[in-house]
Amino acid sequence: MLKRKTAALAAGVLLIIAIVATGIAVTFQRAVQPCSDFRENLVQNKDFQRISYEIYDSVFLSMFSIENYAESDFTDYVGTTVLKTDNVLPDFSGIERYLRHIEESENLVSTVYLGLCPEKVSVRELSALMQRYPSISFEIILPFPSASYWKKLSEEEFTQLLAAYETFLTDAGQFPDTKFYFLSAEDWLINNPTNYVNDYDCSEFVVHKMFLYTFCDNAFRITSENADKLRLQTRDVLTSVRENAPTYPDFSEYDIVFWGDSIIGNYTGSLSIPGVVNGLTGAAVYNCGYGGTSASLGPETSVSLPGIVKAFFEKDLSEIPTETQIYEGFLSYINAPHIDKKTCYVIHYGINDYFRGHPISSDDPLDITTYAGAIRNAVACIKENSPDSQIILCTPIYCGYATDESDEPGIIHLQEYVDAVFTLAEELDVDVLDNFYAMGVNSSNYEEYLLDMVHPNEKCRFMIAQKVIESIR
């Protein structure tokens, strides 16, 4: 009898272990909840152990996953030692509980970073919390789920969540001593599916970029001056996501090769122009941009567009530095299958030709030391090696320095390089993409679109990518 009881008890223990270890779904609600609480308590206890025994001067708590934030980024870029907790806190009481444990530790915490869901906490509650910890600075970031997330909400859910965001935005602007960061109104971010690993969480690459913009640069910050604008912009963007979201063609059968200077090559991943094209259309993209290069060959350049195009078709990487984006792009193209693929080549050069004052043309139409001659050479090489492909010549984008152009004799204005692209496209019977006149970037608004008077920011790169997609046939 004792043996049977012992065997039954052992079997019961093994069953419990198996349920916890394998995550087998239990149909009874009271059986599911303890399992969930058990896991949450394990994570919480792990966090509390770290809080008690590790050395740090800042903490990152969140109501949404912050797995893709790197603790090392805070050390490398902000100069703080952060303890990033693993537990996703379900409510405001969880934040209070963690802060009590932090207060009881021997660490002098100067900054608390909070990831907050507006529907779960109010700014007024936060204000009361901050008054209890006057020596701590609080920096707060709101979640920025994808367009797909917002689309899947019911009308009632969407209305309630949008109202929570709007209320939070309005209230947050009234607390100048606390830093609130908000990105959900950014069309270029939420509408590119490759920025996300799921409907709610961004990729590690994008999170790193957003970390630099927010906690390092104080960009996308809610203030009393912009709170109302952000609230209206949020309503417009998110309503448009649900009601008027643009549709993009399926280009999964396309190979799209991008050649260009830093405007193409200095940006990688889903936030680059090629990356956005890939994310919106499914095209295979190859970023062969090379920062610092010009289309034409000058005394200060070792390689120019004609040499790059020739090396591409000859699969010759000998003149391409290994740790560059162009090298990675060439290698990716060489190693990828291209059977039954349509091919499009996008050429985006001109801004460095302009800065260096390279001539637009000479008596020799194929003179590669001139802007027009270099493009003619490159297009001829493409047509010879890939006669059925589409070629798109892009004009340079607007540059903030163009507002101070000199009228001295011999000075070539940026607009002259732009106009040369239109002339060349007609002459060579290729397509043209107008990134200068039609983009809407000009002397009065360029700070909204350019990072440093020259390079396009994420918003502008998203716009350029959309125009590239419209140009592909």
Side-chain angles (χ1 to χ4, degrees):
M1 183 70 175
L2 181 59
K3 288 183 179 180
R4 283 198 296 269
K5 287 184 177 180
T6 303
L9 179 61
V13 171
L14 287 174
L15 177 60
I16 292 171
I17 292 173
I19 289 173
V20 173
T22 61
I24 295 174
V26 181
T27 56
F28 298 105
Q29 178 62 31
R30 65 181 181 179
V32 173
Q33 191 59 43
C35 184
S36 175
D37 289 344
F38 177 71
R39 289 194 184 98
E40 183 178 331
N41 287 336
L42 281 179
V43 176
Q44 177 181 276
N45 289 337
K46 177 187 172 184
D47 285 342
F48 287 172
Q49 287 289 318
R50 293 190 63 202
I51 286 170
S52 298
Y53 296 110
E54 293 188 17
I55 298 174
Y56 49 88
D57 54 34
S58 59
V59 182
F60 196 173
L61 314 172
S62 183
M63 290 179 166
F64 53 89
S65 174
I66 53 174
E67 179 182 359
N68 285 333
Y69 283 86
E71 289 185 349
S72 59
D73 279 349
F74 288 87
T75 302
D76 294 341
Y77 298 103
V78 185
T80 64
T81 303
V82 71
L83 186 149
K84 185 187 72 170
T85 57
D86 292 329
N87 201 14
V88 176
L89 304 177
D91 50 38
F92 186 65
S93 65
I95 293 173
E96 294 177 307
R97 184 167 62 252
Y98 268 68
L99 284 176
R100 285 196 297 271
H101 278 268
I102 293 164
E103 186 179 26
E104 292 169 359
S105 76
E106 295 183 358
N107 289 287
L108 297 177
V109 173
S110 59
T111 305
V112 172
Y113 300 94
L114 294 177
L116 297 183
C117 297
E119 72 277 18
K120 296 180 180 179
V121 61
S122 71
V123 174
R124 300 298 167 180
E125 288 176 302
L126 282 173
S127 178
L129 181 72
M130 294 168 193
Q131 289 175 14
R132 295 205 295 271
Y133 301 99
S135 63
I136 294 177
S137 298
F138 288 84
E139 297 198 26
I140 295 161
I141 189 165
L142 305 187
F144 35 96
S146 69
S148 176
Y149 173 86
W150 291 99
K151 288 178 187 177
K152 291 178 180 178
L153 296 177
S154 69
E155 193 60 37
E156 181 180 1
E157 290 170 333
F158 173 72
T159 300
Q160 291 176 351
L161 186 54
L162 178 59
Y165 268 83
E166 290 183 321
T167 300
F168 204 97
L169 287 171
T170 300
D171 291 344
Q174 309 307 312
F175 291 85
D177 295 333
T178 302
K179 296 177 180 179
F180 293 87
Y181 304 108
F182 177 69
L183 294 106
S184 287
E186 300 302 324
D187 189 46
W188 55 266
L189 175 63
I190 68 171
N191 278 311
N192 183 355
T194 50
N195 286 337
Y196 292 82
V197 293
N198 55 50
D199 285 346
Y200 205 84
D201 301 314
C202 281
S203 68
E204 185 175 355
F205 169 79
V206 172
V207 165
H208 172 71
K209 293 293 185 182
M210 297 309 102
F211 165 85
L212 295 176
Y213 281 135
T214 53
F215 297 139
C216 294
D217 297 339
N218 287 326
F220 305 108
R221 185 177 171 184
I222 307 168
T223 65
S224 57
E225 289 78 19
N226 68 10
D228 285 341
K229 179 182 177 182
L230 278 175
R231 181 175 56 80
L232 295 173
Q233 183 179 332
T234 301
R235 176 169 286 274
D236 288 345
V237 169
L238 297 182
T239 301
S240 178
V241 158
R242 289 171 60 85
E243 299 177 0
N244 305 301
T247 58
Y248 298 97
D250 179 3
F251 284 161
S252 55
E253 77 280 12
Y254 276 78
D255 285 333
I256 305 177
V257 178
F258 290 80
W259 284 311
D261 47 35
S262 56
I263 289 173
I264 299 294
N266 277 19
Y267 307 97
T268 58
S270 60
L271 297 177
S272 65
I273 293 171
V276 174
V277 172
N278 164 257
L280 299 182
T281 69
V285 298
Y286 302 92
N287 186 341
C288 299
Y290 192 1
T293 58
S294 53
S296 50
L297 184 65
E300 67 289 295
T301 56
S302 59
V303 64
S304 61
L305 176 60
I308 288 171
V309 173
K310 183 174 181 291
F312 177 86
F313 286 110
E314 293 179 352
K315 299 181 180 179
D316 179 8
L317 300 175
S318 61
E319 299 299 319
I320 308 296
T322 55
E323 295 185 4
T324 57
Q325 178 56 48
I326 185 174
Y327 187 92
E328 293 297 324
F330 273 30
L331 204 60
S332 295
Y333 186 87
I334 290 170
N335 292 331
H338 305 289
I339 299 173
D340 297 327
K341 288 289 195 81
K342 298 178 182 178
T343 308
C344 176
Y345 297 96
V346 180
I347 298 175
H348 198 302
Y349 273 98
I351 199 69
N352 286 330
D353 297 84
Y354 163 67
F355 284 143
R356 292 164 181 161
H358 289 182
I360 291 177
S361 61
S362 69
D363 293 338
D364 178 3
L366 296 177
D367 180 359
I368 65 170
T369 66
T370 68
Y371 183 59
I375 292 177
R376 288 190 184 99
N377 268 277
V379 170
C381 186
I382 296 170
K383 288 185 173 183
E384 178 182 351
N385 289 277
S386 185
D388 297 325
S389 63
Q390 181 185 4
I391 301 172
I392 301 174
L393 296 183
C394 301
T395 71
I397 64 171
Y398 183 85
C399 166
Y401 293 106
T403 58
D404 299 320
E405 287 179 330
S406 171
D407 289 327
E408 294 179 18
I411 299 296
I412 309 174
H413 292 182
L414 178 59
Q415 191 170 332
E416 295 179 64
Y417 293 92
V418 172
D419 293 341
V421 174
F422 289 104
T423 301
L424 286 164
E426 184 175 2
E427 172 196 326
L428 301 172
D429 192 26
V430 298
D431 295 302
V432 64
L433 173 55
D434 180 7
N435 285 330
F436 187 86
Y437 298 107
M439 184 64 66
V441 183
N442 53 54
S443 59
S444 64
N445 66 7
Y446 67 83
E447 292 181 349
E448 181 182 349
Y449 299 98
L450 304 181
L451 291 169
D452 51 8
M453 299 180 72
V454 178
H455 296 90
N457 60 18
E458 283 79 8
K459 180 178 182 177
C460 190
R461 296 200 296 273
F462 190 81
M463 291 165 55
I464 294 171
Q466 287 177 308
K467 287 185 173 295
V468 170
I469 293 169
E470 292 172 5
S471 301
I472 295 173
R473 48 182 169 77

